[in-house]
Amino acid sequence: MIDLNSVIAIDIHTHAEGPCGSESWEDTRELQAGMKAYFKKEFEQPTIPEIADYYRARKIALVIFHVDSEHHLGHRRYANEEVARLANENSDIMIPFASIDPHKGKMGAREARRLVEEFGVQGFKFHPSTQAFYPYDRMAYPLYEAIQESGKPALFHTGQTGVGSGMRGGYGIKLEYSNPIHLDQVAIDFPDMNIIMAHPSFPWQEEALAVAQHKPNVYIDLSGWSPKYFPPILVRYANSLLKHKVLFGSDFPAITPDRWLADFETIDIKPEVRPLILKENAAKLLGLM
């Protein structure tokens, strides 16, 4: 278990990929090359134990997951069981989430229940654009039902994504799937499933704020962007109406927590709100306090 007194923050959004040479790693070679060109940086994907050591040295707890996009992208996934096993071996600092392509229907729901019961998975990650579905599609509802029964949160990518950016046809990735307004219906139909909308939701930031303010089970994580680029309206809501519903996330390895936290120090967040965003809101949401 994570000792909250020993960590300075909880990063609710980090990525694990299969190790070099694995099927999941090999399948993403083309996409990796596109992301390197777009972000103008090398993406060295450390192993899960290496990520644990990195975060442990910084006294930051983290949620870790991969993304199952087998149906649309044809990329074989990094096994949820392996991610959970390695995260659980580093449970002083790591919290495992799983990812199940919603196109797997009732089989996916069965897997979700098994992962919670047998592997201690603490939440689930969705990426509507790379999984090619609207979040309110009834196809996904058996999986949501299993998640709601478990009491675990569901984290959804929202807004534009760097994945596929600048590649021919955007690598077939449709941005509109990730408009956060689509989660409004999900929040209605699953009022007991906590929903985290990942990222400042460009170009739909106001939609995200509206849903988070209106639906009590909806939160926002701040991953994927340096805080110095946050829209002013996001900072204003984080300081006021949504101060208990905004969460620190980096999107590691695309953005490191070192850079995110350094830039967070430079923006106009109230002193009493900073600890809420960095640790306390996530701790409550994840049942750590």
Side-chain angles (χ1 to χ4, degrees), residues 57 60 64 125 147 155 173 187 202-203 212 233 255 261 281 284:
I60 301 173
I64 191 162
K125 159 72 173 183
I147 295 171
L155 188 155
I173 293 169
F202 176 80
I233 193 171
I255 295 180
L261 291 169
N281 293 342
K284 291 177 181 177

Side-chain angles (χ1 to χ4, degrees), residues 71-111:
H71 171 82
H72 183 55
L73 297 185
H75 296 166
R76 288 165 291 186
R77 67 180 182 179
Y78 189 15
N80 284 310
E81 295 84 350
E82 180 72 358
V83 174
R85 181 184 67 80
L86 291 170
N88 287 329
E89 288 178 0
N90 293 277
S91 61
D92 63 307
I93 207 76
M94 275 188 165
I95 301 162
F97 274 28
S99 183
I100 300 171
D101 194 317
H103 290 87
K104 293 173 180 174
K106 291 182 179 180
M107 287 293 290
R110 183 186 303 171
E111 180 184 0

